[in-house]
Amino acid sequence: MLQVKYNRDEILSVIDKVARKTLAMDLTWEWPCGVAYYGVSRAYQTTGNQEYLDQLVKWVDEYIELGLPDWTVNTCAMGHMLITLYEETGDQKYWDIVMSKIGYIRGSALRFGDQVLQHTVSVSNDFPEQAWADTLFMAAFFLLRVGSKLEDQELIQDALNQYYWHIKYLQDPGTGLWFHGYNHVKQDHMSGLYWGRANAWGAYTMSQVKPLLKEWYLYPQCMDVECSLRDQLAALKLVQTENGLWRTLLDDEESYEEVSASCGIAAAMVNNGNPLHTKYVQKALKGILENITEDGRVLNVSGGTAVMKDREGYRHIPKDWTQGWGQGLALAFLSDLLK
């Protein structure tokens, strides 16, 4: 098993700073908030701090009163936090919203090929027949969580189908690394680059499959997930920087080190539990903590990123602002470390 050395009280203190900063941000009902509040939910589950839960409830109740937006793949990310609210409060209204998101994914979300979810960021058809790694966190992982909770085999199989095809479309069998996106119309990977956060979305969500599924070994697609994650993490350890981080383009030394990707990748290593990854997680922990301020801001997190046209596009995504996904993935990593 992993044997990472850390001071538990120090990590709890950092979690508290990041969680409080995250809850103080004016995030709206969109994917940045979905990832951020997933992280806060994980912090609540790890620490038992009732303040985190109470603030989530207050925020959601106010939003429900004001009116919720239309569903897209991206807005489905909010479902992660709603699962936790329902489990902790028993309030049916939270579960009703969860199931309305499931209804959208199953009945209305755009799909292509073998029922693969198209990545959608608005109610328009923004990226026709494109698969993005982001979809695994925003929708497939959420679908799997609900399917597992309900023991609903149709939901589970749909979720695993998403994992299977995203692996087939996005993982480079030669390197083990993941591309950002795949264009089914043109049958290509567009820019064809290994974007750091895409690899985090893939690795982190794949690391959640076995813990969620009872008798996971009876699902053939889980074998694909297990082997894909094994090969991806073996490749990712080779492109970790001396500072313990991963770059926004993993194999591009001119790209900056990016902390949200580093958190997601390190968390996947923690959850996968390979003892040979201990030294990589240890380095990552040091690098990530050095990028968290006293007031709980996670630094050097790249802005929201479409599949860019070339290396220069990725290299120049700004990283000067506090972002919900950076906060959330940092909380997920630190919480997983303590579990």
Side-chain angles (χ1 to χ4, degrees):
M1 60 185 294
L2 285 165
Q3 298 182 18
V4 181
K5 297 177 182 178
Y6 56 84
N7 182 309
R8 184 177 180 85
D9 289 339
E10 178 191 4
I11 300 300
L12 287 170
S13 176
V14 175
I15 287 174
D16 188 58
K17 292 172 185 176
V18 176
R20 290 181 185 280
K21 175 60 181 178
T22 305
L23 290 164
M25 299 170 69
D26 279 338
L27 297 170
T28 59
W29 196 290
E30 250 293 351
W31 75 272
C33 188
V35 183
Y37 284 2
Y38 170 78
V40 174
S41 299
R42 288 289 298 114
Y44 165 73
Q45 292 165 336
T46 299
T47 67
N49 190 326
Q50 187 67 31
E51 289 183 54
Y52 304 159
L53 186 70
D54 291 345
Q55 289 194 56
L56 290 176
V57 167
K58 181 180 178 181
W59 183 92
V60 172
D61 286 354
E62 182 176 359
Y63 228 111
I64 291 173
E65 186 175 341
L66 292 169
L68 301 180
D70 294 322
W71 298 157
T72 65
V73 162
N74 269 353
T75 56
C76 283
M78 295 299 301
H80 288 293
M81 172 265 295
L82 291 165
I83 294 172
T84 300
L85 291 195
Y86 174 70
E87 290 174 342
E88 295 299 321
T89 68
D91 194 324
Q92 185 65 34
K93 68 184 177 186
Y94 303 131
W95 190 249
D96 289 344
I97 301 173
V98 167
M99 293 310 297
S100 73
K101 290 178 181 290
I102 294 296
Y104 160 76
I105 292 172
R106 293 282 290 159
S108 303
L110 295 172
R111 297 183 181 232
F112 65 89
D114 290 80
Q115 289 298 300
V116 181
L117 286 168
Q118 175 180 308
H119 191 75
T120 54
V121 302
S122 75
V123 294
S124 301
N125 187 6
D126 303 284
F127 305 106
E129 296 194 28
Q130 290 186 19
W132 293 16
D134 313 50
T135 298
L136 286 180
F137 186 94
M138 312 308 163
F141 174 33
F142 167 60
L143 192 64
L144 186 63
R145 289 184 70 191
V146 176
S148 176
K149 184 176 179 62
L150 296 177
E151 298 185 351
D152 185 318
Q153 292 303 313
E154 286 191 10
L155 297 186
I156 290 171
Q157 290 295 339
D158 192 4
L160 292 177
N161 185 61
Q162 303 309 316
Y163 279 91
Y164 176 84
W165 282 105
H166 280 76
I167 290 168
K168 294 298 182 185
Y169 286 146
L170 298 178
Q171 188 167 30
D172 182 350
T175 65
L177 299 174
W178 280 45
F179 299 106
H180 187 172
Y182 174 78
N183 188 319
H184 190 250
V185 175
K186 295 184 177 180
Q187 303 279 298
D188 65 20
H189 295 105
M190 294 174 276
S191 58
L193 298 170
Y194 306 129
W195 182 47
R197 197 156 62 234
N199 280 264
W201 296 136
Y204 184 78
T205 57
M206 288 195 294
S207 77
Q208 299 294 319
V209 172
K210 287 171 67 173
L212 277 173
L213 287 179
K214 298 176 183 177
E215 299 184 321
W216 65 271
Y217 43 83
L218 297 180
Y219 297 90
Q221 301 98 320
C222 285
M223 311 303 172
D224 292 291
V225 170
E226 183 178 37
C227 292
S228 172
L229 181 59
R230 177 200 66 199
D231 291 353
Q232 186 190 23
L233 293 181
L236 284 167
K237 74 181 187 183
L238 301 178
V239 290
Q240 186 181 32
T241 71
E242 285 302 310
N243 294 321
L245 303 175
W246 283 269
R247 299 184 184 280
T248 198
L249 288 179
L250 294 171
D251 59 345
D252 178 11
E253 293 188 358
E254 295 184 37
S255 292
Y256 56 77
E257 295 171 332
E258 204 282 327
V259 176
S260 71
S262 300
C263 290
I265 292 166
M269 287 182 170
V270 169
N271 294 327
N272 196 48
N274 186 334
L276 295 175
H277 292 156
T278 296
K279 61 184 178 182
Y280 304 101
V281 176
Q282 192 75 61
K283 283 178 64 177
L285 175 60
K286 181 176 184 295
I288 289 165
L289 290 178
E290 289 174 348
N291 279 276
I292 298 176
T293 67
E294 278 299 311
D295 63 346
R297 289 175 293 124
V298 180
L299 304 177
N300 292 308
V301 174
S302 61
T305 307
V307 181
M308 306 303 286
K309 294 181 178 179
D310 51 33
R311 290 182 183 275
E312 290 303 310
Y314 285 99
R315 288 171 179 170
H316 289 94
I317 297 292
K319 57 180 177 65
D320 300 324
W321 302 95
T322 307
Q323 304 287 7
W325 50 92
Q327 302 291 113
L329 287 170
L331 288 170
F333 167 57
L334 295 173
S335 298
D336 288 352
L337 195 63
L338 296 185
K339 68 182 180 182

